[in-house]
């Protein structure tokens, strides 16, 4: 189902529309306080790993995942704006801290109805958490297919 992974490429976590992180509705992400990246407005409830690596973080509320790639890049996948307030409701996670994942592997599923009822955005940020070591060199802003569409390329600084 998924393409063979390329080096220094981050793949879409969800099917939807990808946009620059500066346009996200959360000011902390928009100001790149947590790192540079992009965000996706998803139209599908499944969330996939954007790179091959090891899970360093799986938040208790299942809204955030930290993945360390084989080259040392650290990506944060943050699902929803203020979704931590859901305390895990509306999330079904399939992974744990320490698990190895491949790009395109299912991390979790979200329930759009729970988000809508709580008036919480499903915008999903994908950012490089260790910007001092890695930087984005090319972004793709287009409709995405989860696990297949390249959303950005990066290089080591």
């Amino acid at each position: 189902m998924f393409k063979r992974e390329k080096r220094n490429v981050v793949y879409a976590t969800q099917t939807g529309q990808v946009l620059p992180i500066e346009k996200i509705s959360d000011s902390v992400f928009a100001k790149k306080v947590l790192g540079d990246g992009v965000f996706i407005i998803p139209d599908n409830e499944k969330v996939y790993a954007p790179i091959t690596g090891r899970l360093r973080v799986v938040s208790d509320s299942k809204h955030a995942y930290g993945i360390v790639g084989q080259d040392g890049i650290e990506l944060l996948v943050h699902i929803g704006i203020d979704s931590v307030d859901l305390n895990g409701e509306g999330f079904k996670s399939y992974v744990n801290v320490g698990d190895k994942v491949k790009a395109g592997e299912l991390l979790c599923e979200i329930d759009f109805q729970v988000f809508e009822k709580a008036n919480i955005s499903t915008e999903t940020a994908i950012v490089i958490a260790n910007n001092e070591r890695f930087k984005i060199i090319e972004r793709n802003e287009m409709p995405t297919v989860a696990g297949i569409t390249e959303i950005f390329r990066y290089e080591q600084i």
Side-chain angles (χ1 to χ4, degrees):
M1 178 178 163
F2 298 105
K3 283 184 172 180
R4 174 171 280 157
E5 185 177 10
K6 297 177 187 173
R7 293 176 47 86
N8 295 357
V9 171
V10 175
Y11 294 91
T13 55
Q14 294 146 296
T15 298
Q17 178 65 43
V18 64
L19 297 163
I21 198 69
E22 296 87 350
K23 293 184 178 180
I24 198 167
S25 63
D26 181 273
S27 64
V28 173
F29 281 109
K31 292 177 183 172
K32 302 181 184 180
V33 173
L34 299 174
D36 193 10
V38 298
F39 77 100
I40 295 175
I41 301 171
D43 60 20
N44 187 294
E45 297 179 336
K46 295 179 188 258
V47 182
Y48 297 91
I51 60 171
T52 295
R54 185 177 296 277
L55 284 156
R56 178 173 285 170
V57 175
V58 176
S59 68
D60 290 340
S61 58
K62 309 303 180 209
H63 78 286
Y65 296 82
I67 304 170
V68 179
Q70 298 166 333
D71 58 5
I73 191 168
E74 297 176 16
L75 290 182
L76 170 63
V77 177
H78 188 280
I79 306 156
I81 305 302
D82 297 326
S83 55
V84 67
D85 296 342
L86 294 173
N87 295 315
E89 183 183 356
F91 292 90
K92 182 175 182 181
S93 184
Y94 297 99
V95 294
N96 297 295
V97 171
D99 287 355
K100 289 182 180 179
V101 292
K102 292 186 178 198
E105 186 174 331
L106 186 63
L107 296 177
C108 72
E109 293 181 67
I110 60 175
D111 185 332
F112 282 168
Q113 291 180 341
V114 171
F115 279 69
E116 187 176 316
K117 184 178 176 185
N119 198 31
I120 291 178
S121 169
T122 58
E123 293 172 328
T124 299
I126 304 101
V127 299
I128 299 175
N130 55 346
N131 279 321
E132 72 283 353
R133 291 188 53 209
F134 296 89
K135 69 177 181 176
I136 294 175
I137 57 172
E138 180 185 342
R139 291 175 218 269
N140 294 323
E141 296 173 26
M142 65 185 82
T144 63
V145 177
I148 295 175
T149 307
E150 298 177 10
I151 56 174
F152 63 81
R153 293 177 179 267
Y154 65 89
E155 68 181 10
Q156 196 160 2
I157 299 174

